[in-house]
Structure formats: C-alpha cells, structure tokens
Amino acid sequence: MTNRFKFTRRGYSLSEKLTQTERCDMDIYTALIKRLEALELFTSWLIEDNYTHVTLPAYTSHTTWPLSAILPFYKKRQVYRLVASQGQWHDISSEMLMVETKDVASALTERLGDQGTFFRDSDTGQDLVTELDCLVYGHLNAIFMTKLPSYRMKRALGLHSRLIEYCKYVEVKHGLKAQRERERERS
C-alpha cells in the first residue's frame, strides 16, 4: 500500500469514498505526477537559462553568503541525481522533455475526460475532490504560473486545453481565484 496524504488530526481522507479499484487508479496517477515533478525540477534546475535567470535568484533570495553559494550547488546536485535515477533522463534533450510532458498530459487528459475532477462520488454522481486533484492542480498551477525563459514544458501542457480548463474549474469551484485576487489587492 502506498503512502496517502491524510488529515491525520481528524482521521479524514479525501479518498475515503473511493472504491479499491479507484484507489489503485489514484496511486497510478499519483506516480505519474511524480514523473511530472521530476520534469519540473529538470526544467527549473538543469536547463541553464532557467536556472541562471529565475531559479538561482529565487532560491538564494532569502539567504546570505556563503549559504547563497553553497545551497544551490547541493540542491542542483540533488536534482541531477533524482533525474539520473529516472533512467535515460540524465541526457535528456528538449525534444525528449516535450515527449515526456505530452505523455503525462495525455494520460491526465484522458483520465479527466469531461469530468470536473478525476473521480466522482458513486452515491451522488458529483465531482469528488481527492488527493490526486490536489497534487495535479498544485503542479499544473505552478507550471502555468511560473515565468521561465525556456519553458517548453508549459507549451507542451498548454496543448492540452482540457488541463487548463481543469485548473480554471478548480480555481472557481474552490474560490482560489477570488483568494488570489484578494492577495493581489493587498500587495
């Protein structure tokens, strides 16, 4: 059994209404999101233009020298090891990055279909928000909102308009868009 996210304080799980088959499906798609996460890290840390202009300044903005010189080195090495552990990714090209991203996007789009979320409540037929929805929205939102000089990943995901619609649906349904606008007004 895989480790699932839980609100342990209350003993509540977002996926408690799922059947065993649906939980297995969720685990498979969660593993797919781990792949997307590795692609995100690769894009941010190992594509030099992105690293130099965005990742490094953002990562070191809260630290002073010498930590601002040491920590990025260790983090970049950690990301490289993670990417290298993915098999052929240690020597990935931009084209391979696009193919990997498109594969993940296609699988997510296919699973979503025309539903608002990845799963539906079998009793009511309404959209059921699960841990998978939280992970997918979090990663997709980070990808779509981050402005990097070289972000082919964003273009690859953007080709799947259903994923953009999904992010907008989650923002509207759960009041995230209004919350973001309130935060902008404060700053």
Side-chain angles (χ1 to χ4, degrees):
M1 182 170 155
T2 62
N3 185 14
R4 290 198 181 88
F5 305 95
K6 289 189 180 196
F7 296 103
T8 54
R9 212 171 20 165
R10 296 192 178 109
Y12 178 75
S13 171
L14 291 173
S15 58
E16 70 183 8
K17 291 186 177 183
L18 297 180
T19 65
Q20 189 62 35
T21 304
E22 289 173 326
R23 283 192 180 126
C24 289
D25 284 350
M26 187 175 75
D27 289 343
I28 290 167
Y29 284 95
T30 300
L32 196 62
I33 294 305
K34 287 290 187 190
R35 198 172 175 101
L36 184 63
E37 180 181 13
L39 288 165
E40 283 178 87
L41 288 169
F42 176 87
T43 301
S44 299
W45 286 91
L46 302 179
I47 294 179
E48 200 57 40
D49 204 22
N50 293 339
Y51 175 75
T52 304
H53 293 98
V54 178
T55 306
L56 182 62
Y59 191 74
T60 59
S61 65
H62 67 283
T63 58
T64 59
W65 190 89
L67 286 178
S68 63
I70 298 168
L71 292 178
F73 170 77
Y74 284 109
K75 180 65 177 181
K76 192 171 186 176
R77 190 169 69 175
Q78 178 187 20
V79 169
Y80 183 80
R81 285 181 180 157
L82 172 76
V83 169
S85 73
Q86 301 288 324
Q88 74 277 10
W89 285 16
H90 69 281
D91 199 21
I92 195 168
S93 66
S94 294
E95 289 74 31
M96 289 172 64
L97 176 71
M98 291 287 281
V99 169
E100 286 284 334
T101 305
K102 284 179 184 177
D103 289 347
V104 171
S106 295
L108 292 173
T109 300
E110 185 178 316
R111 177 67 180 112
L112 265 174
D114 60 353
Q115 299 179 159
T117 57
F118 286 92
F119 297 98
R120 293 201 173 214
D121 188 331
S122 55
D123 298 332
T124 65
Q126 294 181 337
D127 291 336
L128 184 64
V129 176
T130 63
E131 296 89 346
L132 177 62
D133 291 289
C134 297
L135 284 170
V136 170
Y137 174 78
H139 285 285
L140 291 179
N141 190 51
I143 292 166
F144 290 136
M145 299 298 282
T146 304
K147 293 177 179 156
L148 293 175
S150 175
Y151 216 12
R152 299 191 72 179
M153 205 175 150
K154 186 183 216 173
R155 284 189 293 254
L157 288 171
L159 296 174
H160 293 268
S161 60
R162 181 63 187 100
L163 296 178
I164 295 170
E165 291 170 15
Y166 169 76
C167 286
K168 289 178 181 176
Y169 172 82
V170 170
E171 286 178 352
V172 170
K173 175 116 173 133
H174 300 288
L176 300 173
K177 187 173 185 177
Q179 180 181 357
R180 188 176 300 137
E181 289 171 0
R182 284 191 303 271
E183 288 172 1
R184 280 189 197 142
E185 288 173 4
R186 284 186 212 146
S187 45

